[in-house]
Amino acid sequence: MGVCFVAGTMVRAQQAPAGKSFDLIEWNGGKFIYGADYYPEAWPESQWEKDAEMMQEAGINFVRMGEFAWVKMEPQEGRFDFAWLDRALKVLNAHGIRAVLGTPTAGPPAWLYTKHPDIAVMDANGVRYRFGSRRNYCLHNPDFRAATARIVTALAEHYKDHPGVIGWQIDNELSDPKCYDAISQAAFQAWCQRKFRALEALNAAWGTVFWGHTYHAWEEIPLPWNTLFNAYNPSLILDFDRFQSASTHDYLDFQAAILRKIAPRQAITENEMGMFQETDWYDLNHSLDFVGWDNYPMMYKDLTQYAIPGLAHDLMRGSKDNQNFMMMEEEGGLGGWATFIGRQVDPALYRVWAYQSVAHGADGVCYFRWRTSRYGTEQYWQGILDQDSYPNARYAMVRQAGRELQQLTPLLHGSKVVSVVALLNSPDSRWAFQNQPGVEDFQYDQQLQDFYDAFRRAGVSVDVAFPPSDLAAYRIVVAPALLVSDQALVDKLTAYVQSGGTLILTFRSGVKDENNVVTDRTLPGAFAALAGVAIHDFDPQMNEEQEIVGPGEARFPARCWSDILTPTTAKVLATYGRAYYAGKAAVTVNSAGKGRVYYVGTESRSPLFYDRLIALAARQSLVALNGQIPQGVEVAVRQKAGKKIIFVLNYTGMGKSVPLEQAYRNALTGKAEPLEVQIPPYEVKVLTEP
Ligand code: GAL
C-alpha cells in the first residue's frame, strides 16, 4: 500500500510566532483595511481605471483578487501569464489600493482535468465528477499537488517583492468536498496507521467487534462511502471527519510552506466560513497570520436576529485566540445563485453589518464583491455595484462607511473585544452529532446559539473557546452538549471549576469518549461527579412535548431531549412537568471545589428560560448583566487601555432608545450622547468614554 502524500506535505508551514498578535492595521500601512473582492479578469481593461477611481472615492484601499483565475495565470501547463494582473495592480496601486492575491487553486483549469481526470472528486457512491463547478479536487491527488506547487511557486516568485501585494489568501473557503477514491482511501489508511500504530489498537478503539468489522490489514479499512441500509461505524466516521480536517490543513500547509519560503514578507490568510465547520478552524489557524472569514447575514430569515452572525464572528475570533480578524467577504448586496436569497433590504443595513463585524473584532472589511458578475453561476449574487456600474445606494453606503472607518481608525487601532464569558465549541461533538444526532432535529449550533443569545440580550460579550483554548480568564464557561470528550478536556474543565469557574453543561454531555464510543459509566460519564448528578433514564423528543417547572413557579416549554436527573450532590433548580418523570430534576447546580456546575437536562424554545438561567449563573459569578437592550438592537463593546468603545447597532426599521449606564461621547460627531441613546432605524452609533 502506498502512502499517497507528495513528499514533504505533512511538514507544517512556519507559524506566526506564538503569543504575537498580528496587527492588521499596521500591516495595511496604518489604515483600516477597507476593500472589495475584485475580478478584473472578467471586465474590459478599459473599465479598470474608472473602477479604481470609484473605489478610491469610496475609501477603498484594498482588494482581494485572483482566487479563481488559475487558467488566466497558467493558460497552458507551465506557461504563465501574469501580465494582465500586473496591469490591474498598477492601476489599483496608483489609486492607493493594495491587494491580497488568492492562490487560484479554487478554480483548476479545464486542461488539468483533461490531462488528469482523477483530480476530480469521487463521491460516496464511487462516481467521479467531471470538470465544472469549483473546488472540484481531491486533496491527496499527487497530480493535483504537483499542479498546485507549480502555480503557487510561479505566483509567489512573480509577486514576492511587489509593494502592492501585501499578502495571500490560500485557495477559497477550504473545507469540503470529501473525496472517496482509492488515493483518498490509502491516505486515510496511512493517517489511521500514524494515529493508532497497531491495528489491534484501532480495532479496540473503534469497537470493530460490532457486526464483525474487525480489520486484519490496514488496506481493509474502508472510507465511509454509502453502504447498504446506510449503516456505518460512528467511530470510523468521526476519524474520517478528523482526517478530512487534517487533510485540509495539510493542503493549506503545503501551499503556505511554498509562500513562506519564497515570499516571507507577505502575510498569509484564508477566507473561512464561520459556523460551517467541516474543518477545525482552531487547528487550521495555527498556520495563518490572521483569520479572514466570509459573512452573509442575509442567509438568515429574521434579519433582526443579529446574534446569529454575531456568534459566527466570535467563533472566528476565538479560532485564533481572540486575535482581531478580517472580513474577507462582507455581504455587499443581495445573495443568490439560481434564485435571489430573500428580499432586498434597506441599503443602510449593509453598513450596520459592516460595523457589527468591526464591533466583534474585525480590523478590516472587504465586501463581496465590487460588481455583480455578468457571467456564470453568480449572476444573481449582488456586488456593491450592479453590472451597469451605476453608483447606487449600496455604493453610497460603502462610501459613507469607508470615510467613517478611516476617521475611527486611531480610536479602533489596538482595541479588542474582552469577555468574561465563553462558549465551548467542540468540533468532535459537532461532527459526531452531524452523523448521529440522536434526535432528528437536534442542532448543535442551536445549543450554542440559545446561550449566546441570552448573554447578548443582556449586553454581555462572549468569546468562543475551542478545546485547546485557555479558559482561566472566564467567569462562566458554557459547554453545551459535550457529547465527545477526551481525558484532557475533562481534566481541563474539572480544573477550571475546582479553581472557581462556573461551568454550564447541557444534555448529552459525557456520553462518549474520544473514539465516539459510549461510556460504560453512569451518565453524564466523566462529568457525573463534577455535576453532582446521575442519569439513569432519558427521553428523546421531537417537539414541544415537555415542560420545565422552575426555578420557582415559572414554567417553560421543553423539547428535543430530557435527561432525567438524579441529584447525587447537586441542588435541584427545576423539574419536569409532564410524562412519567414529572417532578424529577431537569436543571441542577452543584458546588465543586471553589466553583459550580449547572446541568441543564433539556432544551427550550423560550428565550426567557435562558435569560433566567444565565441570570442565576451571572449573579453567582459576579458577571454584570444589562437587561434593558431593546429587541433588534445590539450593544457590543471593544476595549482599549481599560476604556470602552461601544457600538450601538439597530437592525430594525424603527427608531429605538437604549439606556446606558453612563453618558458617552459620539466618536463620529464628537458630541455628548444622552444616557438614553436614541438610535434611528438601521443606524449605528460608536460611543467612547468622555
Ligand atoms: C462565498 C465564496 C465566494 C462567492 C460567495 C457568493 O462563499 O467564497 O466566492 O461564491 O460565496 O456565492
Side-chain angles (χ1 to χ4, degrees):
M1 185 205 66
V3 177
C4 289
F5 297 109
V6 178
T9 61
M10 289 308 280
V11 178
R12 277 281 136 87
Q14 185 198 329
Q15 298 171 1
K20 190 177 172 291
S21 255
F22 187 91
D23 186 329
L24 278 124
I25 293 177
E26 220 168 78
W27 172 64
N28 195 39
K31 287 189 177 161
F32 189 91
I33 302 163
Y34 199 61
D37 299 310
Y38 186 44
Y39 301 89
E41 67 273 24
W43 300 91
E45 281 200 41
S46 55
Q47 227 171 311
W48 295 355
E49 177 61 32
K50 181 80 178 39
D51 282 343
E53 278 169 21
M54 283 181 77
M55 286 181 190
Q56 189 175 20
E57 166 66 17
I60 285 176
N61 53 44
F62 173 91
V63 287
R64 181 202 65 188
M65 300 193 289
E67 74 277 11
F68 300 112
W70 190 341
V71 76
K72 285 283 286 183
M73 297 177 186
E74 192 183 3
Q76 280 174 349
E77 182 170 342
R79 184 168 76 74
F80 298 102
D81 177 8
F82 298 113
W84 64 276
L85 192 52
D86 293 346
R87 291 195 297 277
L89 279 163
K90 196 168 170 202
V91 172
L92 294 159
N93 292 169
H95 290 273
I97 298 162
R98 297 191 292 176
V100 154
L101 296 182
T103 63
T105 47
W111 57 254
L112 194 59
Y113 291 85
T114 306
K115 185 163 179 198
H116 303 293
D118 287 358
I119 67 170
V121 167
M122 180 177 281
D123 72 12
N125 289 313
V127 176
R128 178 84 68 188
Y129 285 104
R130 284 170 285 188
F131 175 73
S133 194
R134 62 177 174 183
R135 302 210 53 255
N136 173 18
Y137 55 71
C138 298
L139 291 165
H140 296 284
N141 182 291
D143 296 319
F144 186 64
R145 289 284 181 129
T148 296
R150 195 171 55 231
I151 184 65
V152 174
T153 302
L155 187 65
E157 286 290 358
H158 192 83
Y159 289 109
K160 62 178 192 272
D161 296 319
H162 196 299
V165 176
I166 54 177
W168 308 100
Q169 171 188 295
I170 292 179
D171 201 284
N172 188 80
E173 294 188 336
L174 277 173
S175 204
D176 265 355
K178 293 176 171 125
C179 180
Y180 294 81
D181 69 2
I183 292 174
S184 309
Q185 186 185 5
F188 180 53
Q189 290 163 348
W191 182 90
C192 290
Q193 199 167 358
R194 281 195 302 278
K195 175 169 176 175
F196 292 103
R197 291 165 199 276
L199 208 44
E200 297 70 40
L202 176 141
N203 280 318
W206 287 4
T208 55
V209 65
F210 188 79
W211 282 356
H213 282 192
T214 304
Y215 305 111
H216 287 104
W218 295 103
E219 290 81 354
E220 290 171 1
I221 297 171
L223 295 181
W225 39 58
N226 287 346
T227 57
L228 191 62
F229 312 130
N230 247 340
Y232 50 80
N233 178 347
S235 302
L236 181 152
I237 295 204
L238 180 57
D239 266 332
F240 183 66
D241 287 336
R242 290 170 173 146
F243 160 75
Q244 175 72 19
S245 180
S247 302
T248 301
H249 192 166
D250 180 60
Y251 182 63
L252 178 132
D253 277 348
F254 178 68
Q255 294 203 22
I258 298 171
L259 295 169
R260 295 223 188 268
K261 183 156 177 256
I262 300 173
R265 200 182 57 79
Q266 287 145 331
I268 298 181
T269 189
E270 226 276 290
N271 57 335
E272 296 172 1
M273 288 178 287
M275 301 305 287
F276 297 93
Q277 298 177 71
E278 298 298 311
T279 304
D280 179 341
W281 301 134
Y282 190 92
D283 174 59
L284 187 80
N285 292 338
H286 277 107
S287 294
L288 302 179
D289 291 305
F290 62 89
V291 172
W293 88 277
D294 301 346
N295 180 36
Y296 292 97
M298 208 103 98
M299 289 199 301
Y300 310 110
K301 274 195 193 120
D302 178 356
L303 301 182
T304 67
Q305 296 288 325
Y306 62 83
I308 298 176
L311 172 57
H313 283 305
D314 294 342
L315 183 131
M316 292 282 37
R317 192 183 67 242
S319 70
K320 200 159 173 61
D321 296 320
N322 291 305
Q323 183 181 292
N324 285 1
F325 57 92
M326 157 99 193
M327 293 320 307
M328 204 49 107
E329 296 181 16
E330 178 77 59
E331 183 123 37
L334 193 57
W337 276 16
T339 56
F340 285 104
I341 301 175
R343 53 200 288 194
Q344 195 52 278
V345 296
D346 188 318
L349 190 54
Y350 295 106
R351 172 168 160 265
V352 181
W353 283 325
Y355 270 99
Q356 182 186 30
S357 305
V358 178
H360 285 257
D363 275 350
V365 173
C366 179
Y367 297 94
F368 185 84
R369 48 195 284 158
W370 171 241
R371 185 170 36 229
T372 320
S373 178
R374 291 184 59 207
Y375 318 112
T377 309
E378 295 191 353
Q379 291 171 323
Y380 296 165
W381 201 290
Q382 278 188 321
I384 301 167
L385 304 179
D386 286 318
Q387 287 89 344
D388 66 354
S389 303
Y390 177 77
N392 57 21
R394 294 193 301 280
Y395 177 77
M397 168 291 293
V398 168
R399 186 175 49 197
Q400 179 189 349
R403 289 178 180 170
E404 291 165 353
L405 285 166
Q406 295 315 328
Q407 185 189 334
L408 293 171
T409 305
L411 174 70
L412 293 173
H413 194 183
S415 67
K416 280 181 69 78
V417 177
V418 179
S419 311
V420 293
V421 173
L423 275 182
L424 184 73
N425 172 65
S426 154
D428 281 348
S429 296
R430 167 184 300 279
W431 295 332
F433 276 123
Q434 224 157 270
N435 294 307
Q436 223 183 4
V439 194
E440 221 169 69
D441 67 345
F442 174 85
Q443 299 287 342
Y444 182 69
D445 283 351
Q446 189 62 44
Q447 286 279 303
L448 296 170
Q449 195 76 56
D450 285 337
F451 285 93
Y452 181 84
D453 290 2
F455 281 109
R456 298 303 301 162
R457 278 195 294 275
V460 175
S461 294
V462 179
D463 285 352
V464 177
F466 287 68
S469 307
D470 184 0
L471 303 178
Y474 301 113
R475 301 219 184 119
I476 300 176
V477 171
V478 189
L482 202 50
L483 184 77
V484 174
S485 46
D486 60 10
Q487 197 54 46
L489 185 56
V490 172
D491 291 347
K492 175 184 260 192
L493 291 172
T494 306
Y496 167 74
V497 172
Q498 295 293 347
S499 58
T502 294
L503 176 66
I504 302 179
L505 295 171
T506 75
F507 60 95
R508 304 309 278 153
S509 291
V511 176
K512 296 188 173 201
D513 69 13
E514 71 270 30
N515 294 311
N516 213 4
V517 165
V518 178
T519 180
D520 57 3
R521 295 163 66 176
T522 295
L523 294 180
F527 299 111
L530 201 61
V533 292
I535 298 164
H536 300 300
D537 197 5
F538 51 70
D539 180 13
Q541 302 212 353
M542 289 289 292
N543 301 309
E544 311 274 336
E545 290 163 359
Q546 236 327 327
E547 197 178 30
I548 305 164
V549 183
E553 297 302 302
R555 286 176 178 265
F556 305 96
R559 62 182 300 284
C560 198
W561 190 276
S562 307
D563 269 346
I564 303 161
L565 306 176
T566 303
T568 50
T569 55
K571 237 176 63 191
V572 179
L573 293 176
T575 56
Y576 290 105
R578 295 190 193 143
Y580 68 93
Y581 50 93
K584 295 268 174 72
V587 183
T588 56
V589 61
N590 189 45
S591 296
K594 293 185 190 151
R596 65 192 65 78
V597 181
Y598 289 81
Y599 194 96
V600 184
T602 187
E603 182 181 296
S604 181
R605 283 279 150 92
S606 162
L608 199 58
F609 171 71
Y610 294 97
D611 290 346
R612 292 274 168 87
L613 194 66
I614 67 146
L616 274 179
R619 198 173 319 129
Q620 288 178 322
S621 321
L622 304 177
V623 173
L625 304 184
N626 172 5
Q628 298 163 51
I629 301 167
Q631 212 266 326
V633 174
E634 179 176 16
V635 176
V637 182
R638 281 173 71 148
Q639 295 191 28
K640 184 162 141 179
K643 289 206 163 183
K644 289 181 183 164
I645 304 167
I646 301 189
F647 297 77
V648 183
L649 306 132
N650 186 353
Y651 300 89
T652 77
M654 284 180 300
K656 302 263 178 162
S657 82
V658 186
L660 296 178
E661 81 284 7
Q662 66 168 80
Y664 290 93
R665 195 169 48 81
N666 187 311
L668 282 169
T669 64
K671 293 194 182 135
E673 288 279 344
L675 265 178
E676 185 102 7
V677 174
Q678 302 304 311
I679 182 97
Y682 303 123
E683 251 305 342
V684 176
K685 284 192 175 178
V686 183
L687 310 174
T688 55
E689 297 190 35

mmCIF file of all heavy atoms in Angstrom, residues 488-503:
data_model
loop_
_atom_site.group_PDB
_atom_site.id
_atom_site.type_symbol
_atom_site.label_atom_id
_atom_site.label_comp_id
_atom_site.label_asym_id
_atom_site.label_seq_id
_atom_site.Cartn_x
_atom_site.Cartn_y
_atom_site.Cartn_z
ATOM 1 N N ALA A 488 -8.174 14.884 28.433
ATOM 2 C CA ALA A 488 -7.549 16.207 28.575
ATOM 3 C C ALA A 488 -8.628 17.272 28.757
ATOM 4 O O ALA A 488 -8.492 18.184 29.588
ATOM 5 C CB ALA A 488 -6.688 16.513 27.348
ATOM 6 N N LEU A 489 -9.710 17.167 28.007
ATOM 7 C CA LEU A 489 -10.778 18.163 28.109
ATOM 8 C C LEU A 489 -11.528 18.011 29.439
ATOM 9 O O LEU A 489 -11.852 19.010 30.093
ATOM 10 C CB LEU A 489 -11.737 18.025 26.915
ATOM 11 C CG LEU A 489 -12.844 19.075 26.821
ATOM 12 C CD1 LEU A 489 -12.272 20.493 26.813
ATOM 13 C CD2 LEU A 489 -13.698 18.846 25.574
ATOM 14 N N VAL A 490 -11.754 16.775 29.845
ATOM 15 C CA VAL A 490 -12.411 16.540 31.141
ATOM 16 C C VAL A 490 -11.549 17.153 32.253
ATOM 17 O O VAL A 490 -12.045 17.875 33.122
ATOM 18 C CB VAL A 490 -12.616 15.020 31.377
ATOM 19 C CG1 VAL A 490 -13.107 14.755 32.800
ATOM 20 C CG2 VAL A 490 -13.589 14.442 30.347
ATOM 21 N N ASP A 491 -10.245 16.901 32.196
ATOM 22 C CA ASP A 491 -9.338 17.426 33.231
ATOM 23 C C ASP A 491 -9.333 18.956 33.221
ATOM 24 O O ASP A 491 -9.325 19.600 34.268
ATOM 25 C CB ASP A 491 -7.906 16.917 33.000
ATOM 26 C CG ASP A 491 -7.789 15.418 33.258
ATOM 27 O OD1 ASP A 491 -8.740 14.840 33.847
ATOM 28 O OD2 ASP A 491 -6.767 14.817 32.855
ATOM 29 N N LYS A 492 -9.332 19.518 32.024
ATOM 30 C CA LYS A 492 -9.288 20.983 31.910
ATOM 31 C C LYS A 492 -10.544 21.604 32.517
ATOM 32 O O LYS A 492 -10.473 22.560 33.297
ATOM 33 C CB LYS A 492 -9.161 21.360 30.433
ATOM 34 C CG LYS A 492 -9.225 22.839 30.181
ATOM 35 C CD LYS A 492 -9.191 23.149 28.703
ATOM 36 C CE LYS A 492 -7.802 23.562 28.319
ATOM 37 N NZ LYS A 492 -7.683 24.136 27.004
ATOM 38 N N LEU A 493 -11.711 21.049 32.198
ATOM 39 C CA LEU A 493 -12.966 21.610 32.726
ATOM 40 C C LEU A 493 -13.063 21.379 34.230
ATOM 41 O O LEU A 493 -13.547 22.238 34.971
ATOM 42 C CB LEU A 493 -14.170 21.001 31.991
ATOM 43 C CG LEU A 493 -14.291 21.425 30.521
ATOM 44 C CD1 LEU A 493 -15.378 20.641 29.803
ATOM 45 C CD2 LEU A 493 -14.571 22.927 30.398
ATOM 46 N N THR A 494 -12.574 20.225 34.691
ATOM 47 C CA THR A 494 -12.585 19.948 36.131
ATOM 48 C C THR A 494 -11.705 20.967 36.861
ATOM 49 O O THR A 494 -12.120 21.567 37.865
ATOM 50 C CB THR A 494 -12.092 18.503 36.390
ATOM 51 O OG1 THR A 494 -12.885 17.618 35.601
ATOM 52 C CG2 THR A 494 -12.218 18.123 37.852
ATOM 53 N N ALA A 495 -10.511 21.188 36.351
ATOM 54 C CA ALA A 495 -9.595 22.143 36.993
ATOM 55 C C ALA A 495 -10.187 23.551 36.969
ATOM 56 O O ALA A 495 -10.062 24.315 37.939
ATOM 57 C CB ALA A 495 -8.240 22.124 36.278
ATOM 58 N N TYR A 496 -10.855 23.877 35.867
ATOM 59 C CA TYR A 496 -11.482 25.204 35.744
ATOM 60 C C TYR A 496 -12.522 25.407 36.859
ATOM 61 O O TYR A 496 -12.544 26.453 37.518
ATOM 62 C CB TYR A 496 -12.125 25.326 34.353
ATOM 63 C CG TYR A 496 -13.053 26.498 34.217
ATOM 64 C CD1 TYR A 496 -12.549 27.798 34.112
ATOM 65 C CD2 TYR A 496 -14.436 26.326 34.225
ATOM 66 C CE1 TYR A 496 -13.410 28.888 34.017
ATOM 67 C CE2 TYR A 496 -15.297 27.404 34.127
ATOM 68 C CZ TYR A 496 -14.780 28.679 34.031
ATOM 69 O OH TYR A 496 -15.625 29.750 33.950
ATOM 70 N N VAL A 497 -13.351 24.397 37.086
ATOM 71 C CA VAL A 497 -14.382 24.502 38.124
ATOM 72 C C VAL A 497 -13.733 24.505 39.513
ATOM 73 O O VAL A 497 -14.053 25.339 40.359
ATOM 74 C CB VAL A 497 -15.395 23.333 38.002
ATOM 75 C CG1 VAL A 497 -16.358 23.317 39.185
ATOM 76 C CG2 VAL A 497 -16.162 23.433 36.691
ATOM 77 N N GLN A 498 -12.784 23.589 39.711
ATOM 78 C CA GLN A 498 -12.131 23.494 41.031
ATOM 79 C C GLN A 498 -11.532 24.830 41.435
ATOM 80 O O GLN A 498 -11.549 25.209 42.589
ATOM 81 C CB GLN A 498 -11.010 22.430 41.012
ATOM 82 C CG GLN A 498 -11.492 21.000 40.778
ATOM 83 C CD GLN A 498 -12.334 20.449 41.925
ATOM 84 O OE1 GLN A 498 -12.369 21.027 43.005
ATOM 85 N NE2 GLN A 498 -13.051 19.363 41.685
ATOM 86 N N SER A 499 -11.026 25.578 40.454
ATOM 87 C CA SER A 499 -10.361 26.835 40.832
ATOM 88 C C SER A 499 -11.328 28.017 40.813
ATOM 89 O O SER A 499 -10.900 29.163 40.837
ATOM 90 C CB SER A 499 -9.137 27.080 39.945
ATOM 91 O OG SER A 499 -9.555 27.120 38.611
ATOM 92 N N GLY A 500 -12.635 27.751 40.740
ATOM 93 C CA GLY A 500 -13.593 28.843 40.964
ATOM 94 C C GLY A 500 -14.490 29.169 39.788
ATOM 95 O O GLY A 500 -15.331 30.067 39.890
ATOM 96 N N GLY A 501 -14.335 28.483 38.673
ATOM 97 C CA GLY A 501 -15.146 28.805 37.493
ATOM 98 C C GLY A 501 -16.555 28.254 37.588
ATOM 99 O O GLY A 501 -16.827 27.313 38.335
ATOM 100 N N THR A 502 -17.457 28.870 36.819
ATOM 101 C CA THR A 502 -18.829 28.357 36.699
ATOM 102 C C THR A 502 -18.955 27.688 35.342
ATOM 103 O O THR A 502 -18.685 28.298 34.306
ATOM 104 C CB THR A 502 -19.832 29.524 36.810
ATOM 105 O OG1 THR A 502 -19.756 30.055 38.122
ATOM 106 C CG2 THR A 502 -21.259 29.053 36.526
ATOM 107 N N LEU A 503 -19.353 26.429 35.368
ATOM 108 C CA LEU A 503 -19.485 25.651 34.131
ATOM 109 C C LEU A 503 -20.950 25.308 33.922
ATOM 110 O O LEU A 503 -21.614 24.839 34.850
ATOM 111 C CB LEU A 503 -18.649 24.371 34.257
ATOM 112 C CG LEU A 503 -18.734 23.365 33.103
ATOM 113 C CD1 LEU A 503 -18.143 23.948 31.822
ATOM 114 C CD2 LEU A 503 -17.996 22.067 33.475
#
